[in-house]
Amino acid sequence: DSPSTAVNIKDAGTDSELYKIMNKHGKMVASAMTFEKIKDKKIFTFDGTDMAYGGVRLTVDKDVYNEATEGMRDDILASDFYEDSKKGYQNIYGASYGEDMDKVIEYMFDVYFEQDIVLDFYLDKKGRIVNISTPEDIAVYGEYSNMDSIAVDIDFSGSERTLDFIDGGIYMQADAEIVFLGISRKAAVTDEYYTEDLTFSFQEDNSDEEITLWYTNEWGYEDHTFDLQMSLDADDNSIGLRADGSVMDIVKGEGYTFQIDHAAISSDEGDLLLMTGSIMTEATENKIEVPKRAKSFLDMTSSEIQELFYDALF
């Protein structure tokens, strides 16, 4: 509620240099968008039932998009915030790390489109998106990625909330190789619990190996219990986290107890770390003495926080 905190939040948001760069070039892309109704309906099969849906086609002019992408890359590389960040990392990892950071930015903005970007959004009778897809592969090029084309096909088929069931991904082709970035999600909400099962995957079509990031969680509304698991699997190696427990003794405005019944970090070789315990919070009437030279973290600007971080390291 304090004015200084509000100013700091604004400084980290709409007044930040990165936001201004993204907003500037984002407006360019938005100005190049056109929308039209899809004339022919498309058949989708959800839960064994065929349904025909219409939708809206979004087209983005390739030249404007490519210009915006290139301008965003150049503005970031020339920005003060990026230069400050690079100097900080160079102090930690050495001068060559700055060149590595520049390459990462180049890779991030490496994809350019050789034809207009066309995305179809299919909608159900309630106006909810049930599919996002490209009517055909879109030709692209890149100096580093060697990509030839990209395609999108993602279904949203939850009955109550369309995002409860997601299946699909992005297909990228480079020469004869196709890389698939997939997403799969199953979620449900009742009066008693919320549950979610989410998977991100990365796979090449000429390989049986797949990299997956998997997360599942169930939260009980009445007893405030949680049961979560997550893992990263790659090349027959995996590392994961599992934990269950509850939030207990909840007194609004005063405190609660966060109880961990069982928790473990594990790999293929077995459990690496086992944990159990609780964290209790409560209100206090003790006066907190703040040193005179102290400064409120919430009132600090992003550059002051960054300077504090580097001073602490060196």
Side-chain angles (χ1 to χ4, degrees):
D1 295 331
S2 68
S4 57
T5 301
V7 169
N8 182 57
I9 293 173
K10 185 178 181 182
D11 174 67
T14 57
D15 277 356
S16 71
E17 194 174 7
L18 178 59
Y19 175 87
K20 290 178 179 178
I21 292 173
M22 302 290 284
N23 189 51
K24 169 187 172 183
H25 297 286
K27 286 182 177 179
M28 287 179 57
V29 175
S31 67
M33 293 181 178
T34 58
F35 299 89
E36 60 180 313
K37 184 177 179 180
I38 298 175
K39 297 179 180 179
D40 299 325
K41 291 187 176 182
K42 186 176 180 180
I43 303 295
F44 296 92
T45 302
F46 297 136
D47 296 329
T49 303
D50 292 341
M51 299 290 292
Y53 295 113
V56 176
R57 173 163 295 175
L58 163 67
T59 302
V60 183
D61 183 276
K62 63 178 177 55
D63 294 326
V64 176
Y65 183 90
N66 291 338
E67 182 182 348
T69 298
E70 190 171 297
M72 192 179 300
R73 179 203 63 196
D74 293 343
D75 285 353
I76 289 177
L77 290 172
S79 64
D80 292 335
F81 86 87
Y82 176 73
E83 188 64 27
D84 291 341
S85 299
K86 188 163 66 172
K87 288 179 180 178
Y89 284 109
Q90 285 176 319
N91 289 334
I92 301 173
Y93 300 108
S96 62
Y97 194 82
E99 297 179 3
D100 294 336
M101 286 183 65
D102 290 347
K103 289 181 180 178
V104 170
I105 299 297
E106 295 281 355
Y107 291 154
M108 289 174 60
F109 295 93
D110 181 52
V111 177
Y112 294 87
F113 287 84
E114 293 187 299
Q115 61 190 88
D116 291 344
I117 306 167
V118 180
L119 281 174
D120 290 344
F121 295 80
Y122 289 93
L123 314 172
D124 64 10
K125 293 180 180 180
K126 296 181 179 180
R128 302 176 304 180
I129 297 174
V130 297
N131 175 269
I132 300 176
S133 55
T134 49
E136 61 181 15
D137 293 356
I138 304 175
V140 299
Y141 66 93
E143 181 180 353
Y144 307 106
S145 64
N146 296 320
M147 286 176 53
D148 298 317
S149 64
I150 186 171
V152 178
D153 190 7
I154 306 175
D155 292 333
F156 307 90
S157 57
S159 56
E160 296 298 326
R161 306 180 309 169
T162 57
L163 293 181
D164 281 348
F165 286 86
I166 303 175
D167 185 45
I170 301 173
Y171 302 82
M172 296 174 290
Q173 182 165 357
D175 296 328
E177 182 180 22
I178 298 177
V179 174
F180 175 66
L181 300 176
I183 179 173
S184 174
R185 181 177 192 259
K186 295 180 181 179
V189 177
T190 69
D191 293 336
E192 292 79 27
Y193 66 87
Y194 166 78
T195 182
E196 178 179 17
D197 191 328
L198 177 65
T199 302
F200 294 99
S201 61
F202 175 88
Q203 187 173 23
E204 299 175 358
D205 66 336
N206 59 358
S207 172
D208 293 332
E209 296 178 352
E210 183 179 25
I211 300 173
T212 61
L213 175 62
W214 173 70
Y215 166 84
T216 182
N217 179 42
E218 182 171 317
W219 170 261
Y221 287 125
E222 294 186 356
D223 54 9
H224 305 295
T225 57
F226 65 89
D227 188 344
L228 68 86
Q229 297 182 60
M230 61 187 305
S231 67
L232 176 63
D233 303 318
D235 297 334
D236 298 325
N237 296 313
S238 67
I239 185 169
L241 166 68
R242 65 181 187 273
D244 61 81
S246 60
V247 180
M248 308 163 55
D249 307 323
I250 302 172
V251 180
K252 187 176 181 180
E254 295 186 14
Y256 60 90
T257 297
F258 182 74
Q259 178 68 39
I260 301 175
D261 294 335
H262 308 90
I265 297 176
S266 59
S267 70
D268 294 329
E269 299 177 356
D271 293 332
L272 304 177
L273 177 65
L274 299 175
M275 297 168 283
T276 185
S278 60
I279 301 172
M280 293 170 285
T281 67
E282 61 181 9
T284 178
E285 296 180 357
N286 296 334
K287 183 179 179 181
I288 300 175
E289 296 184 2
V290 180
K292 293 181 179 179
R293 295 181 61 186
K295 188 170 183 179
S296 173
F297 186 80
L298 294 177
D299 293 337
M300 297 175 68
T301 64
S302 57
S303 59
E304 288 173 334
I305 293 173
Q306 190 176 57
E307 183 179 351
L308 177 66
F309 174 74
Y310 295 139
D311 288 345
L313 289 176
F314 306 103

